[in-house]
Amino acid sequence: MAAENHTDVSEFLLLGLSDDPELQPILFGLFLSMYLVTVLGNLLIILAISSDAHLHTPMYFFLSILSFVDICFTSTTVPKMLANIDAHSKDISYMACLTQMYFFMMFGGLDNFLLTVMAYDRFVAICHPLRYTVIMNPRLCALLVLMSWLVISLVALVHVLLMMRLTFSSGTEIPHFFCELAQLLKVARSDALINNIYLYVSTVLLGVFPVSGILFSYSKIVSSLMRMSSTESKYKAFSTCGSHLCVVSLYYGTSLVEYLSYAVTPSSQSSAIASVMYTVVTPMLNPFIYSLRNKDVKAALRRLLSRAAS
């Protein structure tokens, strides 16, 4: 099939997770259930934090932002997949594909940055408790979120602009359930060297700096805990980090599983199945991790639900 300019490409075809017609109703029910649980769980976290004055602190401010980002992150991929399954279609327009790719990268990157910011917040709270309210003032908290959004938005925008230089065949098949950047570069008909270089550089930078920030924060936290004489103080201080550590482990663990699955079995379908873990499962589990391990959040949720019931 002859290559056509990207302006002539009207649509792509998302192949999804399986071509088996018998599996489609099962996939629809499974992903619809997970999506509803994700939206409801994260929405409850946001409502509980916003309605409880005791939770109007930097740590819970970042948690509410993380919950909002998780809702948006899942909403960029799952609704389109559900619509395609329901309509027995695989179509996605060229502009819709680029838009989905942009928002997927933006919200995924925001998750990454927010976990780093939350680690810094715990570092200040444990290592500099007397100066915590001064350092983590509302202006700095808002600035950290804003800077994270600006940086990742710019990175994602450059990816989209570079993608618009490439040419594709009409009806190009994407072996995934959403428009993932790496898969789009594989099916492009023109040279994608610049795109791949930018992808590798941005992935390394956006991966190394956040992970380094998290490791640095927790190395300082552990060092501070070792100097504490009271076991109760150690437990109380570290318990505030438990939920965050679980979410960090889940986020980077599922991303690593997706990378290793592709490295061991370099097939597009295995990559698509593995990516379900960090695109759908992780945002769904985050509210449960914070609500089950955090007494303040559990208490706020009980008060919220009791008010709703009355």
Side-chain angles (χ1 to χ4, degrees), residues 169-187:
S169 298
S170 180
T172 295
E173 295 182 345
I174 302 174
H176 218 298
F177 66 94
F178 66 94
C179 291
E180 187 184 45
L181 174 61
Q183 298 296 336
L184 281 172
L185 293 180
K186 288 181 180 179
V187 298

Side-chain angles (χ1 to χ4, degrees), residues 37 54 56 75 86 116 170 180 184 189 198 229 235 276 284:
V37 170
H54 297 92
H56 292 175
S75 297
D86 184 59
T116 308
S170 180
E180 187 184 45
L184 281 172
R189 296 296 300 269
Y198 182 67
S229 56
Y235 176 78
V276 171
M284 179 183 69

